[in-house]
Amino acid sequence: QVQLQESGPGLVKASQTLSLTCAVSDDSINSGLYSWTWIRQPAGKGLEWIGHLYASGTTTYNASLKGRVTMSVDTSKNQFSLKLRSVTAADTAVYFCARGIYGRLGLENYYYMGVWGRGTAVTVSS
Amino acid sequence: QSVLPQPPSVSAAPGQKVTISCSGARSNIGNNFVSWYQHLPGTAPKLVIYDNDKRASGIPDRFSGSKSGTSATLAITGLQTGDEADYYCGTWDSSLSVGVFGGGTKLTVL
């Protein structure tokens, strides 16, 4: 059964870079079928899509994060990573990684996350 | 930021039916398939419905999804205490080229 596990510092200082990694087990990140996705949830709020990438390296980011995001994949370690620069208190959240499926059927796009990690809490301190 | 409004909470007694709505626009729900997720804080969210109305693996047929225009609905019949969780809708936004989610609905089984 596919499992995803987030890891990284739980505390990041404001203006620094948040770095997280998602380890994928029982599936190859190289399969090319899936989009490897980052999503976050600030306390008491809903889910926010950060972006996703494919094993090829193709990435799509949420423009609301104003160019502060970089995602990358390490196929040798079967994991993918998130870097969020110049963090502020507004970036305090639980960060989830997920395996997504994206495609087009007729005139509509389908996009859903079939497998998620349990999330890791990140606090930005001043 | 959540771009798909959902009711903050719904509640019903065991055995009853509840529906959770998710509102959007033509650029997201109107022109793309909708998914639904169940989340208990501290655990991994679970896919419940995908492609508007398809149940994910292992999801009982008490759960169903539908879409009409720019709104989607998750229905749960025969409520059980184990259904208590937060539920989120999600889809793709073709104008923004991003994934979007609802603000979440907390289901309480009284």
Side-chain angles (χ1 to χ4, degrees), chain A residues 39 41 45-49 52 60-64 96 102 104-105 107-118, chain B residues 1-2 30-33 35 37 39 42-45 47 50-52 67 88 91-92 94 97-103:
Chain A
I39 293 155
Q41 183 178 32
K45 297 187 179 181
L47 299 171
E48 180 182 19
W49 188 83
H52 66 186
T60 304
Y61 303 139
N62 192 331
S64 69
F96 297 95
Y102 175 81
R104 193 164 181 85
L105 184 63
L107 298 178
E108 298 191 356
N109 297 297
Y110 56 87
Y111 184 50
Y112 56 91
M113 267 53 72
V115 184
W116 297 63
R118 295 182 64 170
Chain B
Q1 60 276 39
S2 305
N31 284 331
N32 297 296
F33 291 94
S35 53
Y37 305 89
H39 184 218
T43 70
L47 177 67
Y50 66 99
D51 291 357
N52 299 338
K67 188 182 92 166
Y88 295 88
T91 187
W92 184 256
S94 302
S97 293
V98 299
V100 290
F101 293 98

Side-chain angles (χ1 to χ4, degrees), chain B residues 5-95:
Chain B
Q6 296 182 231
S9 63
V10 295
S11 62
Q16 297 299 303
K17 174 184 176 179
V18 71
T19 60
I20 299 172
S21 61
C22 175
S23 301
R26 185 182 299 177
S27 62
N28 42 66
I29 293 178
N31 284 331
N32 297 296
F33 291 94
V34 176
S35 53
W36 289 90
Y37 305 89
Q38 178 190 66
H39 184 218
L40 283 165
T43 70
K46 178 192 295 186
L47 177 67
V48 177
I49 297 289
Y50 66 99
D51 291 357
N52 299 338
D53 56 9
K54 295 181 174 59
R55 279 185 300 277
S57 176
I59 301 300
D61 59 7
R62 300 185 297 104
F63 290 80
S64 63
S66 62
K67 188 182 92 166
S68 178
T70 58
S71 295
T73 301
L74 174 69
I76 310 172
T77 60
L79 277 172
Q80 301 175 0
T81 55
D83 297 332
E84 283 201 340
D86 297 322
Y87 290 85
Y88 295 88
C89 58
T91 187
W92 184 256
D93 190 297
S94 302
S95 294

